[in-house]
Amino acid sequence: MEPSTEPPIPDWMAEQPVPDFLTPEQQDLFLRAFSAANFLMGCNTSAVDDYPLADGSQPDKSNYETVTLDSSQTYLLSVGRFARWDDFEAMLDGLFTPAYKETLLAGEISDGASVPLFTSTEDGRLCYLDVSRGSDMEYDMADAPDVYELVSQSDSAVEFTLIGHYADLTVEADENGTRPIYTEAYPIRMERTSDGWRVAEFHLPY
């Protein structure tokens, strides 16, 4: 199977470094998974509608319809590239292992019940909760690129660590406006499946 070309890699990914120990195919998968994780992991769910449509035009995000599902949660109906659930699911299938895809779609716990951030309406439309936690201020203020450490690599799997950098906001900035930097490490794993390489674990540094 050909490597996935979804979702498109947005312009803001241009500054995201990629591990040099990955193959070009794996590097491409990493960037697409990173882009998808930005909305899947709740940083900003509406970013799923930021990708250009098939004709290259931008989705009209000025007037969303809403739907209330059995969970009593009100969802926005997607207007973007993945407005059909089948297209959204196909995009996920091209990036993640089946087990990890289910983990990502499992949702968040609300009042003791699991509430998915992304789900389907009865007529097959993608809908999502409009939530945004933003990014980590300490990460943004560090203004340092991510680095990677290889843990293991074989023909069937590759494991590595993404190391993010953070400004210590508990310390006053010096005369140059800088603060001490600390790091946090996040595991990432890719596996070779019958359909090609897929991400089996992923974490954002922010």
Side-chain angles (χ1 to χ4, degrees):
M1 177 176 288
E2 292 294 321
S4 176
T5 58
E6 297 289 354
I9 298 175
D11 291 343
W12 62 264
M13 292 295 299
E15 297 181 0
Q16 178 62 38
V18 295
D20 59 9
F21 48 78
L22 296 180
T23 67
E25 178 186 352
Q26 291 166 342
Q27 290 178 341
D28 185 81
L29 173 63
F30 171 80
L31 288 176
R32 295 183 195 280
F34 202 115
S35 179
N38 193 55
F39 57 80
L40 287 170
M41 295 180 172
C43 295
N44 182 10
T45 54
S46 69
V48 72
D49 281 340
D50 286 347
Y51 300 99
L53 300 173
D55 63 4
S57 65
Q58 291 298 315
D60 180 5
K61 299 175 66 175
S62 63
N63 188 23
Y64 276 102
E65 296 179 66
T66 62
V67 59
T68 301
L69 303 182
D70 293 341
S71 62
S72 298
Q73 300 287 332
T74 298
Y75 287 78
L76 298 183
L77 288 169
S78 173
V79 296
R81 186 182 187 95
F82 307 108
R84 301 299 305 175
W85 176 260
D86 286 349
D87 294 333
F88 179 74
E89 192 169 35
M91 178 266 293
L92 298 184
D93 288 338
L95 298 176
F96 305 108
T97 62
Y100 192 54
K101 183 188 80 169
E102 293 307 312
T103 297
L104 291 170
L105 292 178
E108 299 181 345
I109 302 298
S110 176
D111 297 327
S114 178
V115 178
L117 295 180
F118 296 86
T119 189
S120 173
T121 62
E122 290 186 356
D123 60 351
R125 293 185 64 179
L126 171 66
C127 60
Y128 57 89
L129 293 179
D130 185 18
V131 298
S132 174
R133 62 170 174 79
S135 61
D136 191 313
M137 182 180 297
E138 289 87 348
Y139 178 83
D140 292 339
M141 293 186 68
D143 194 26
D146 301 329
V147 296
Y148 308 94
E149 292 183 355
L150 180 64
V151 176
S152 65
Q153 192 169 29
S154 70
D155 290 339
S156 60
V158 55
E159 296 184 55
F160 58 97
T161 302
L162 182 156
I163 299 173
H165 297 73
Y166 305 85
D168 187 350
L169 300 187
T170 66
V171 178
E172 288 293 328
D174 63 19
E175 63 274 11
N176 298 315
T178 60
R179 292 181 169 86
I181 300 295
Y182 66 95
T183 61
E184 296 283 351
Y186 304 91
I188 297 177
R189 178 179 173 84
M190 295 179 175
E191 297 177 356
R192 184 192 290 275
T193 72
S194 59
D195 291 322
W197 285 95
R198 297 292 187 270
V199 173
E201 182 178 9
F202 202 89
H203 299 274
L204 291 173
Y206 51 81

